Amino acid sequence: MAAEPGARRLLNISSFWLCCLLLLGRRQPGAAAARSGSPPQSPGASIRTFTPFYFLVEPVDTLSIRGSSVILNCSAYSEPSPKIEWKKDGTFLNLVSDDRRQLLPDGSLFISNVVHSKHNKLDEGYYQCVATVESLGTIVSRTAKLTVAGLPRFVSQPEPSSAYAGNSAILNCDVNADLVPFVRWEQNRQPILLDDRVIKLSSGTLVISNVTEGDEGLYRCIVESGGPPKSSDEAELKVLPDPEVTSNLMFLKQPSSLVRVIGQSVVLPCVASGLPTPTVRWMKNEETLDTESSERLVLLAGGSLGISDITEDDAGTYFCIADNGNETIEAQAELTVQAQPEFLKQPANIYAHESMDIVFECEVTGKPTPTVKWVKNGDMVIPSDYFKIVKEHNLQVLGLVKSDEGFYQCIAENDVGNVQAGAQLIILEHDVAIPTLPPTSLTSATTDHLAPATTGPLPSAPRDVVASLVSTRFIKLTWRTPASDPHGDNLTYSVFYTKEGIARERVENTSRPGEMQVTVQNLMPATVYIFRVTAQNKHGSGESSAPLRVETQPEVQLPGPAPNIRAYTSSPTSITVTWETPLSGNGEIQNYKLYYMEKGTDKEQDVDVASLSYTINGLKKYTEYSFRVVAYNKHGPGVSTQDVAVRTLSDVPGAAPQNLSLEVRNSKSVMIHWQPPPPATQNGQITGYKIRYRKASRKSDVTETLVTGTQLSQLIEGLDRGTEYNFRVAALTINGTGPATDWLSAETFESDLDETRVPEVPSSLHVRPLVTSIVVSWTPPENQNIVVRGYAIGYGIGSPHAQTIKVDYKQRYYTIENLDPSSHYVITLKAFNNVGEGIPLYESAVTRPHTDTSEVDLFVINAPYTPVPDPTPMMPPVGVQASILSHDTIRITWADNSLPKHQKITDSRYYTVRWKTNIPANTKYKNANATTLNYLVTGLKPNTLYEFSVMVTKGRRSSTWSMTAHGTTFELVPTSPPKDVTVVSKEGKPRTIIVNWQPPSEANGKITGYIIYYSTDVNAEIHDWVIEPVVGNRLTHQIQELTLDTPYYFKIQARNSKGMGPMSEAVQFRTPKASGSAGKGSRLPDLGSDYKPPMSGSNSPHGSPTSPLDSSILLVIIVSVGVITIVVVVIIAVFCTRRTTSHQKKKRAACKSVNGSHKYKGNSKDVNPPDLWIHHERLELKPIDKSPDPNPIMTDTPIPRNSQDITPVDNSMDSNIHQRRNSYRGHESEDSMSTLAGRRGMRPKMMMPFDSQPPQQSVRNTPSTDTMPASSSQTCCTDHQDPEGATSSSYLASSQEEDSGQSLPTAHVRPSHPLKSFAVPAIPPPGPPTYDPALPSTPLLSQQALNHHVHAVKTASIGTLGRSRPPMPVVVPSAPEVQETTRMLEDSESSYEPDELTKEMAHLEGLMKDLNAITTA
């Protein structure tokens, strides 16, 4: 019962302070009002003001003991006074009939005789004070925990112990943490007074430092927790005299990890024992703590560390170090510091109208991170469609209704404690303007309601409210202006909407005056919503439109992301990916698609998978890949998983090091240089290189040297003089050794070069002045037995000592940059080694003026210093080739004719490779040295033409540059976006815009097209933007049918053959208003009240292919094609009718005389032929006699025999004039004779001698179906066959036709259409077969393979036309039968009448002009 007086004192003190706080609160009502954020109230104001309502005192966590009394303080302020109630563990307490618990006048809760037992913990729990004001609202306090100390139980009790004098001793007494404040110690049944030497730890343990004989005795700990005191067992402490011998150092008590709250105190125990007596020091995070000068840190008895008023900076790891001079021991513990929740931003009072959306803001901090919950009028706010937690802690209320008024509280809680802060919401009538408040409490959808209203006429209801676009989660509404204000430029609109059957209505406002469309977002799929629209002017809100019922589209249930996707590598070339079945989705999962991509590339590959795992093989070694999985069901692909990345295992390198070179340093050492293997073949982290070398004479005796790390050179020493060595290098990874380079040879010097003196003067100096630079080149000193480490170049205007540059001893030229034009420079060149610099060689040069573009070289040899002329130059490398390997790498190879045939380098020569590109024109050469016959040039630009040349240097002899080789690197995706993107409106068409741009600066290839993205929302996902592809390299594009007076955002992306480049930055453009684009003095037509904008799924509003303009163009094209078709059919019919008449005349003429073909021969030379452009196109071979024996034909004819040489010609369509114009008529029967040939009686035949030149060009090679029926002409016209016709070397009548009398094969030139190409023969019409089907025919200009036999093809040239022409290949067919030969010769003598020919040709020429004009249009 000893604790009861203390409890009474606590009650009296609490009551005193409570009265003081109440008096203070009543004296300062203005201060309370100020806390509430209430605006100043003007006289006669009709707006309700915010009521001050808050807690003056809130309950705090309390520790009590069984049977004692407890007061939980609570006091709230309000006018009128609030009603106070209490909750325990969330349930209201009934204090009217409770004898032990009663409500004090100030609102505090008094609990007398606290009840607590093992099975009945009636009073322990969480208490909360609730204050209510009728017609105003309710607020709740923070929750306070009442803890009742349990029955005393000893976890550990004191045990007998002994300690040496001067050492420390500990006596354990561990009890429940709640009972530690009630623990006291006794020595020999007498209370112990605690001081700096004797302390009690937080666990109850007693620590005695610097033990003396007076500390001996019996010790016990006593717990007094409201009931009878409970004592532990007694334990004896003995103090031993100093034995003057050492004892082991040990910890009696070590620190343990603790958790404390900011502002509390803590003791980290650390007690050590040993002889000599140890000293204890502390460190935190490896820094020694200074306990002497610190006010908060103190070293307690035995070495424990006490920290008062803990801050967040005190958290960390603490080390206790005990040292007695002989040994040191160490222990550590972690101190974690927590912080109670605190408000960074409290909710603010809000005025609002019904249907508006509001946000209560609440920002908190604490450690651990607090959780936040919201309470409205004392009840928990459960998140729903209209009450949402946004931005982690803020409360958003959507579509306010009158019942939403009241007090809202933000309660933050963590393991340490909880705090609350509240704000009031007042909903005003719509005709009352909202007072000016901080705008952060209103959402963007409601800010338009802040303007005060004035009296005046209100607008009528908006007209024709329609849902122009309905999706699953948004609806776009459009309407027309009210009838009361047809212009509506100054009207704003509010769209009120609610779910069908729900009374809570929300509002969405237009963004600017005059806008007549709103997109309502965040709707639910397959849900019916009711919409209405009101217009507002400066006087207030007008009538509402009729309700519009719209149902959102149902949402296809696609699978969600596959959970727990994991990827692990199983080998250097394979990775296994596993995942689990998606948790969401409607319908059974059909399959999965696994996407993977190599890191650093943009080419994603995929594979279909039916199971929940897959192993991808054939990957690159030691390469990082990313993987993602998409599940598919019957509706399509679902949501992709996040990417997971994993790297394949490493392996031995797949290629040898590059650019191995040897440099003989002296008679006993060689320096080796190399480059790493190509990155794609390294297969892991290169850990080192293995160098192998041997004497060329003893190839079996190989020495190895390892080079670790990334070192790329090594000096091999201890070699023999004048000996040839072979060297090779291989790269190493943790997996092993990769392939080695080829053996490379070098021979050490017979004797070391002299470095006891400076080098001699360089043998020559060559300067070439340019405008801002001077190219300096030189040759080494004549005496090459002296070591040269490098060259020093000095230069300056008038003096060579202004600047000095040192270059390597291998270098033979240098370009001095950044010089002044038209200036006189003095240049000096000196060779140097470790001894010093040699004799200088001087030269001067004048840089050229800006206007001088000549390329004259100035070569000066200073006679006093160079009496010996230059050595004879070496032969330049030959066969330089450039092999393109990638977009930035080209391999250069060459041959050296000065080397032996096996091209083995056995001396100290080296090669210099230089390269450049001609874009821009003033690009300078880049150079690199190599000691092999190839070099890998890297770091080039994609899709760029480079020229390369090579020179060889041996000693002081150098060759000229070789002939250049050229190579163009491969393309790469564009690495920069299109430039200068501009958008302009098309004049006269306000709904059409023109997008212009410039190609990307880094196209990296030929641009094959662009993609234009545009959207009205710049923050939309890119897959939601509208796409307009542009094919080719066009730099402008039109987009039609845009919405008037609407901001659009445009981005452009270029592509080449390798893929898509990056997008340009978004460019904004607002389309013109309707009134400004309808033309001068015109207005847009009134569509009437029945007009309905197109719904979703109608024609695309952007660039629709069915626009009125496109429809008219399509109609014109269809009508034009129809008219052209009718005209062509009529012409063909007329032409065929003429052919039939001529055909019959020709048959009768052929039956009358077999030899009639010679009757016009005497007159043929007297007739002038028509214009050559009409007739030179169609060539026809003059027929020869056909042998009845097929064998001589097959063996002696010059026609090629393989299937690629000749292909029969399709002659199945005689009536088609177009095909007749475009095929070669090789073998014609009587039925196939043209009317043109039948009328050509007075026109001479054109004889063409053959030569052996092979054909040069191919036109066509078409198969033939020579299944021609026998014509009637064969029955009336008969003749014998010439058995020698197959071997005859001339055609019939060839001697009469040729002036020279040579019996050579000839060809006819037949009339043709004037527009027909010389290389397009006509299709032969059907007729009787005139040769063995086994013998194929060929078009006049058939393509011959390069490896064909050329003896079978002969060329024909027109010799009788009086003008030279290139020879044309003509294939000689077999001879026709005699009667057919007669008919062909007779037919060839016929000709057109002059007037008839002119008329027909003019008719055809006019037809072609019409066709060309139509095609062009």
Side-chain angles (χ1 to χ4, degrees):
M1 302 300 293
E4 290 185 0
R8 294 193 190 98
R9 289 195 300 269
L10 179 63
L11 174 61
N12 294 333
I13 295 172
S14 301
S15 302
F16 171 76
W17 284 109
L18 177 61
C19 294
C20 293
L21 289 173
L22 287 173
L23 290 173
L24 181 64
R26 295 179 186 274
R27 288 181 180 180
Q28 296 179 340
R35 284 184 55 188
S36 70
S38 175
Q41 198 169 354
S42 59
S46 60
I47 299 178
R48 288 185 293 149
T49 59
F50 297 113
T51 304
F53 188 17
Y54 54 88
F55 285 101
L56 295 170
V57 179
E58 295 184 76
V60 296
D61 295 346
T62 305
L63 173 63
S64 179
I65 57 177
R66 184 179 57 176
S68 65
S69 298
V70 174
I71 292 181
L72 297 175
N73 296 311
C74 177
S75 177
Y77 174 81
S78 177
E79 291 292 345
S81 298
K83 173 186 176 183
I84 302 295
E85 296 176 286
W86 281 87
K87 282 183 177 181
K88 178 181 179 290
D89 297 330
T91 303
F92 280 102
L93 294 175
N94 184 7
L95 302 178
V96 176
S97 59
D98 197 326
D99 296 335
R100 293 188 310 106
R101 293 178 287 202
Q102 57 181 308
L103 189 67
L104 299 180
D106 64 348
S108 299
L109 178 66
F110 175 73
I111 304 175
S112 62
N113 192 18
V114 172
V115 176
H116 189 81
S117 64
K118 182 177 181 180
H119 301 290
N120 185 17
K121 301 179 181 180
L122 184 62
D123 295 327
E124 193 173 60
Y126 291 91
Y127 289 81
Q128 189 174 39
C129 179
V130 181
T132 304
V133 175
E134 291 297 333
S135 72
L136 188 61
T138 301
I139 58 175
V140 297
S141 71
R142 67 179 301 275
T143 56
K145 182 180 181 182
L146 174 61
T147 305
V148 181
L151 298 176
R153 289 188 182 88
F154 293 102
V155 180
S156 65
Q157 300 195 40
E159 296 179 355
S161 61
S162 60
Y164 292 107
N167 263 333
S168 299
I170 64 168
L171 295 166
N172 292 319
C173 180
D174 293 339
V175 296
N176 302 343
D178 299 336
L179 296 175
V180 171
F182 306 102
V183 173
R184 63 182 180 86
W185 281 87
E186 290 183 351
Q187 178 189 8
N188 298 326
R189 303 294 177 97
Q190 296 297 320
I192 297 176
L193 297 178
L194 303 179
D195 54 20
D196 293 342
R197 194 178 68 86
V198 182
I199 64 170
K200 183 182 69 172
L201 300 180
S202 57
S203 62
T205 299
L206 185 68
V207 177
I208 306 173
S209 64
N210 195 16
V211 174
T212 63
E213 292 182 358
D215 294 325
E216 282 190 333
L218 297 176
Y219 289 82
R220 69 174 182 175
C221 65
I222 300 174
V223 179
E224 297 175 339
S225 59
K230 184 171 184 177
S231 302
S232 69
D233 298 336
E234 287 188 328
E236 183 180 7
L237 173 63
K238 292 183 179 181
V239 179
L240 304 177
D242 189 350
E244 297 183 354
V245 295
T246 60
S247 65
N248 291 334
L249 187 60
M250 60 182 294
F251 280 116
L252 300 179
K253 188 73 173 178
Q254 296 189 35
S256 58
S257 296
L258 297 173
V259 178
R260 290 293 183 269
V261 180
I262 291 177
Q264 292 182 343
S265 298
V266 67
V267 174
L268 296 174
C270 183
V271 181
S273 174
L275 289 177
T277 301
T279 59
V280 175
R281 57 188 175 90
W282 285 86
M283 297 183 66
K284 176 197 171 187
N285 299 336
E286 301 182 356
E287 293 183 4
T288 301
L289 296 178
D290 184 5
T291 57
E292 295 181 359
S293 61
S294 173
E295 296 180 356
R296 297 190 305 109
L297 303 179
V298 60
L299 199 60
L300 302 175
S304 299
L305 179 65
I307 308 175
S308 60
D309 193 16
I310 291 176
T311 65
E312 194 171 353
D313 294 336
D314 293 326
T317 303
Y318 289 80
F319 297 88
C320 172
I321 303 171
D323 185 4
N324 65 356
N326 294 331
E327 58 181 322
T328 302
I329 56 176
E330 179 181 301
Q332 70 179 48
E334 187 80 18
L335 175 60
T336 302
V337 178
Q338 295 182 337
Q340 290 189 353
E342 291 183 10
F343 285 105
L344 299 177
K345 189 172 189 178
Q346 298 188 9
N349 297 329
I350 295 178
Y351 283 115
H353 288 137
E354 284 189 279
S355 303
M356 290 173 59
D357 300 342
I358 64 167
V359 174
F360 283 110
E361 296 183 335
C362 180
E363 293 184 23
V364 296
T365 182
K367 190 174 182 180
T369 301
T371 59
V372 171
K373 61 183 179 181
W374 284 86
V375 173
K376 176 203 168 189
N377 290 333
D379 296 325
M380 183 78 67
V381 174
I382 300 174
S384 64
D385 291 343
Y386 298 97
F387 289 85
K388 297 182 178 181
I389 304 298
V390 296
K391 294 184 179 179
E392 296 186 0
H393 301 148
N394 298 341
L395 175 65
Q396 183 181 38
V397 185
L398 305 177
L400 290 176
V401 295
K402 192 67 176 177
S403 60
D404 291 331
E405 269 194 347
F407 286 89
Y408 290 79
Q409 289 176 277
C410 173
I411 300 178
E413 182 179 10
N414 63 6
D415 296 340
V416 182
N418 62 90
V419 292
Q420 64 82 24
Q424 185 180 2
L425 170 64
I426 294 180
I427 296 180
L428 303 174
E429 298 298 331
H430 277 289
D431 56 350
V432 178
I434 296 177
T436 302
L437 282 177
T440 55
S441 60
L442 300 178
T443 65
S444 60
T446 62
T447 55
D448 294 335
H449 289 283
L450 299 178
T454 58
T455 58
L458 300 176
S460 59
R463 296 174 292 173
D464 300 335
V465 179
V466 295
S468 60
L469 184 59
V470 180
S471 181
T472 57
R473 293 186 180 272
F474 69 89
I475 293 176
K476 182 178 181 180
L477 294 181
T478 58
W479 57 87
R480 295 174 55 215
T481 56
S484 62
D485 193 351
H487 295 288
D489 292 338
N490 297 320
L491 294 181
T492 59
Y493 298 89
S494 296
V495 177
F496 296 88
Y497 63 99
T498 180
K499 287 184 184 178
E500 191 174 45
I502 302 295
R504 184 179 292 271
E505 193 174 46
R506 298 185 58 194
V507 64
E508 190 79 26
N509 299 312
T510 54
S511 58
R512 63 182 181 277
E515 186 177 20
M516 290 180 290
Q517 63 178 21
V518 158
T519 300
V520 182
Q521 306 276 359
N522 302 319
L523 304 179
M524 300 299 295
T527 305
V528 177
Y529 288 86
I530 307 298
F531 294 87
R532 63 185 183 90
V533 183
T534 62
Q536 292 93 27
N537 58 15
K538 61 183 179 180
H539 306 299
S541 179
E543 298 179 15
S544 173
S545 66
L548 174 67
R549 185 178 182 274
V550 184
E551 183 176 3
T552 54
Q553 298 287 339
E555 191 169 51
V556 177
Q557 296 297 316
L558 298 173
N564 297 328
I565 178 173
R566 295 183 178 89
Y568 57 91
T569 178
S570 49
S571 76
T573 59
S574 63
I575 292 177
T576 300
V577 185
T578 62
W579 59 91
E580 297 177 7
T581 305
L583 301 178
S584 60
N586 179 21
E588 182 181 356
I589 300 297
Q590 296 178 343
N591 71 305
Y592 300 90
K593 192 177 287 287
L594 173 61
Y595 295 87
Y596 62 98
M597 180 172 62
E598 179 184 345
K599 185 178 180 181
T601 65
D602 56 356
K603 182 180 180 182
E604 191 174 48
Q605 299 174 273
D606 60 82
V607 60
D608 291 325
V609 183
S611 61
L612 296 177
S613 65
Y614 189 78
T615 300
I616 301 176
N617 299 306
L619 303 177
K620 295 181 181 180
K621 299 177 181 179
Y622 197 68
T623 303
E624 186 173 349
Y625 289 86
S626 63
F627 301 86
R628 63 184 182 93
V629 175
V630 175
Y632 282 71
N633 64 6
K634 62 182 179 181
H635 300 294
V639 181
S640 173
T641 63
Q642 295 292 326
D643 288 356
V644 294
V646 67
R647 185 186 294 273
T648 52
L649 296 177
S650 60
D651 200 359
V652 297
Q658 306 177 91
N659 298 332
L660 177 65
S661 62
L662 304 176
E663 176 188 337
V664 180
R665 286 295 181 91
N666 51 46
S667 62
K668 290 188 177 182
S669 63
V670 173
M671 175 63 77
I672 306 176
H673 297 271
W674 63 89
Q675 293 296 319
T681 63
Q682 293 182 8
N683 299 339
Q685 194 72 31
I686 299 296
T687 59
Y689 296 89
K690 182 182 291 185
I691 302 173
R692 295 183 178 182
Y693 61 94
R694 67 190 182 190
K695 292 182 179 179
S697 59
R698 300 178 60 183
K699 297 186 177 181
S700 60
D701 187 11
V702 178
T703 304
E704 280 191 3
T705 298
L706 288 179
V707 178
T708 58
T710 58
Q711 183 177 333
L712 298 177
S713 64
Q714 179 67 21
L715 181 65
I716 305 297
E717 299 180 299
L719 305 178
D720 295 340
R721 297 172 180 269
T723 306
E724 182 181 1
Y725 285 86
N726 298 331
F727 297 85
R728 70 192 311 178
V729 181
L732 302 174
T733 62
I734 58 174
N735 303 87
T737 307
T741 61
D742 294 334
W743 290 102
L744 198 60
S745 300
E747 184 176 353
T748 56
F749 298 145
E750 286 288 347
S751 59
D752 289 336
L753 296 179
D754 183 11
E755 201 171 2
T756 61
R757 48 183 177 155
V758 297
E760 294 184 0
V761 64
S763 55
S764 68
L765 180 59
H766 177 196
V767 295
R768 180 188 176 194
L770 301 175
V771 177
T772 59
S773 61
I774 296 178
V775 180
V776 182
S777 59
W778 62 90
T779 54
E782 183 180 357
N783 184 1
Q784 298 192 16
N785 293 323
I786 304 176
V787 174
V788 176
R789 299 289 181 184
Y791 296 92
I793 304 171
Y795 64 95
I797 298 179
S799 171
H801 307 299
Q803 295 192 50
T804 302
I805 297 169
K806 291 189 176 182
V807 298
D808 189 72
Y809 75 98
K810 287 184 179 180
Q811 199 154 334
R812 295 293 181 268
Y813 62 91
Y814 183 82
T815 302
I816 304 173
E817 304 280 358
N818 302 320
L819 303 181
D820 297 331
S822 304
S823 300
H824 184 275
Y825 283 88
V826 179
I827 301 167
T828 180
L829 177 70
K830 295 177 285 187
F832 66 87
N833 56 20
N834 292 334
V835 177
E837 295 180 347
I839 302 173
L841 184 61
Y842 292 90
E843 190 51 65
S844 63
V846 178
T847 51
R848 299 175 183 172
H850 272 299
T851 56
D852 188 2
T853 59
S854 62
E855 295 293 334
V856 180
D857 288 346
L858 177 62
F859 184 74
V860 178
I861 297 177
N862 198 312
Y865 297 102
T866 56
V868 181
D870 280 348
T872 305
M874 300 181 66
M875 295 179 59
V878 297
V880 180
Q881 294 185 352
S883 303
I884 294 88
L885 303 182
S886 69
H887 66 275
D888 64 349
T889 305
I890 295 180
R891 181 181 294 279
I892 308 301
T893 58
W894 61 87
D896 190 346
N897 284 345
S898 62
L899 291 175
K901 290 184 178 181
H902 55 71
Q903 294 286 290
K904 182 178 181 182
I905 302 174
T906 58
D907 49 26
S908 60
R909 73 180 61 198
Y910 65 91
Y911 301 90
T912 302
V913 182
R914 73 174 184 180
W915 65 92
K916 64 170 287 189
T917 177
N918 290 328
I919 301 175
N922 59 350
T923 305
K924 294 183 172 56
Y925 280 102
K926 294 185 178 180
N927 303 273
N929 293 336
T931 56
T932 59
L933 296 177
N934 63 83
Y935 185 76
L936 200 66
V937 182
T938 59
L940 304 178
K941 296 180 180 178
N943 193 47
T944 304
L945 175 64
Y946 286 88
E947 65 175 39
F948 303 87
S949 54
V950 186
M951 68 179 292
V952 59
T953 302
K954 180 181 179 184
R956 58 192 183 91
R957 299 174 59 206
S958 298
S959 72
T960 58
W961 290 105
S962 67
M963 297 188 66
T964 58
H966 294 82
T968 303
T969 50
F970 293 149
E971 291 188 359
L972 185 67
V973 295
T975 51
S976 65
K979 303 182 300 184
D980 303 335
V981 180
T982 58
V983 183
V984 296
S985 178
K986 188 171 183 181
E987 185 176 357
K989 294 186 178 181
R991 296 164 65 92
T992 301
I993 59 96
I994 302 175
V995 186
N996 303 297
W997 64 91
Q998 292 299 316
S1001 57
E1002 298 175 4
N1004 298 338
K1006 180 182 178 182
I1007 297 299
T1008 58
Y1010 296 89
I1011 293 182
I1012 301 176
Y1013 298 81
Y1014 64 96
S1015 170
T1016 56
D1017 183 5
V1018 71
N1019 297 318
E1021 296 291 335
I1022 195 63
H1023 55 73
D1024 293 333
W1025 291 48
V1026 183
I1027 294 176
E1028 284 277 340
V1030 180
V1031 180
N1033 56 0
R1034 291 169 44 208
L1035 299 178
T1036 183
H1037 185 72
Q1038 288 190 15
I1039 300 177
Q1040 301 176 350
E1041 299 299 320
L1042 299 183
T1043 306
L1044 295 176
D1045 195 20
T1046 302
Y1048 285 87
Y1049 299 88
F1050 298 85
K1051 297 182 180 180
I1052 304 185
Q1053 191 178 28
R1055 73 167 180 267
N1056 59 17
S1057 62
K1058 292 297 182 180
M1060 307 298 301
M1063 291 187 187
S1064 64
E1065 293 293 330
V1067 175
Q1068 182 183 9
F1069 178 79
R1070 178 181 289 275
T1071 51
K1073 293 186 179 181
S1075 59
S1077 59
K1080 182 182 296 184
S1082 65
R1083 59 186 298 269
L1084 294 177
D1086 191 348
L1087 299 178
S1089 59
D1090 298 331
Y1091 170 71
K1092 303 278 182 161
M1095 300 291 287
S1096 174
S1098 64
N1099 292 338
S1100 170
H1102 307 299
S1104 172
T1106 59
S1107 63
L1109 179 61
D1110 292 343
S1111 301
S1112 17
I1113 292 176
L1114 183 61
L1115 181 62
V1116 171
I1117 293 175
I1118 294 175
V1119 173
S1120 303
V1121 171
V1123 173
I1124 293 170
T1125 305
I1126 295 173
V1127 172
V1128 171
V1129 170
V1130 172
I1131 292 173
I1132 292 174
V1134 173
F1135 196 77
C1136 291
T1137 305
R1138 292 187 177 185
R1139 279 185 53 87
T1140 304
T1141 306
S1142 176
H1143 206 163
Q1144 295 173 354
K1145 292 179 181 180
K1146 179 179 61 181
K1147 282 185 179 181
R1148 290 194 296 269
C1151 292
K1152 288 179 182 179
S1153 174
V1154 175
N1155 299 323
S1157 60
H1158 301 281
K1159 71 185 214 174
Y1160 296 108
K1161 184 166 62 174
N1163 301 329
S1164 63
K1165 295 181 181 180
D1166 302 328
V1167 180
N1168 293 328
D1171 291 342
L1172 297 181
W1173 65 273
I1174 299 177
H1175 306 287
H1176 79 279
E1177 302 288 353
R1178 181 175 300 173
L1179 295 179
E1180 187 177 273
L1181 300 181
K1182 186 173 182 179
I1184 60 174
D1185 290 339
K1186 177 180 178 182
S1187 171
D1189 186 4
N1191 292 332
I1193 297 173
M1194 298 301 291
T1195 56
D1196 295 340
T1197 180
I1199 299 176
R1201 290 291 180 266
N1202 69 43
S1203 61
Q1204 294 182 1
D1205 294 340
I1206 306 170
T1207 306
V1209 180
D1210 186 0
N1211 52 16
S1212 60
M1213 298 186 67
D1214 181 33
S1215 63
N1216 192 318
I1217 186 170
H1218 178 72
Q1219 293 189 4
R1220 283 172 45 220
R1221 285 205 308 266
N1222 290 278
S1223 296
Y1224 166 60
R1225 305 179 61 181
H1227 304 282
E1228 294 181 337
S1229 66
E1230 178 185 12
D1231 292 338
S1232 69
M1233 291 299 136
S1234 168
T1235 57
L1236 294 176
R1239 300 174 183 175
R1240 201 177 53 215
M1242 300 305 293
R1243 201 166 148 260
K1245 294 185 295 292
M1246 307 183 67
M1247 310 306 295
M1248 297 165 50
F1250 287 89
D1251 56 34
S1252 59
Q1253 182 176 347
Q1256 302 297 322
Q1257 183 181 1
S1258 167
V1259 174
R1260 181 171 301 181
N1261 207 351
T1262 12
S1264 172
T1265 59
D1266 288 328
T1267 56
M1268 297 173 285
S1271 66
S1272 60
S1273 63
Q1274 290 177 309
T1275 60
C1276 64
C1277 303
T1278 59
D1279 200 309
H1280 65 281
Q1281 293 181 355
D1282 186 2
E1284 302 297 329
T1287 58
S1288 174
S1289 62
S1290 64
Y1291 290 101
L1292 291 177
S1294 63
S1295 58
Q1296 291 87 347
E1297 299 293 340
E1298 295 287 357
D1299 295 337
S1300 62
Q1302 294 179 358
S1303 58
L1304 294 175
T1306 61
H1308 286 288
V1309 178
R1310 306 192 59 184
S1312 174
H1313 192 278
L1315 300 179
K1316 187 181 132 188
S1317 169
F1318 188 81
V1320 184
I1323 294 179
T1330 60
Y1331 60 99
D1332 194 317
L1335 180 63
S1337 66
T1338 184
L1340 182 61
L1341 299 179
S1342 65
Q1343 173 71 47
Q1344 306 296 328
L1346 294 177
N1347 57 355
H1348 282 344
H1349 238 40
V1350 299
H1351 76 278
V1353 182
K1354 299 188 176 184
T1355 60
S1357 59
I1358 305 174
T1360 60
L1361 297 181
R1363 40 189 303 195
S1364 61
R1365 287 189 172 272
M1368 295 178 51
V1370 176
V1371 177
V1372 182
S1374 59
E1377 295 181 0
V1378 174
Q1379 63 269 28
E1380 176 141 345
T1381 304
T1382 304
R1383 283 194 300 272
M1384 292 175 67
L1385 293 175
E1386 175 185 337
D1387 206 31
S1388 67
E1389 299 296 341
S1390 61
S1391 67
Y1392 281 112
E1393 295 296 334
D1395 57 341
E1396 191 174 1
L1397 176 63
T1398 303
K1399 181 179 179 181
E1400 181 172 355
M1401 296 314 298
H1403 175 71
L1404 292 178
E1405 189 173 7
L1407 174 62
M1408 293 306 297
K1409 288 182 178 178
D1410 295 340
L1411 290 176
N1412 287 335
I1414 294 173
T1415 305
T1416 304

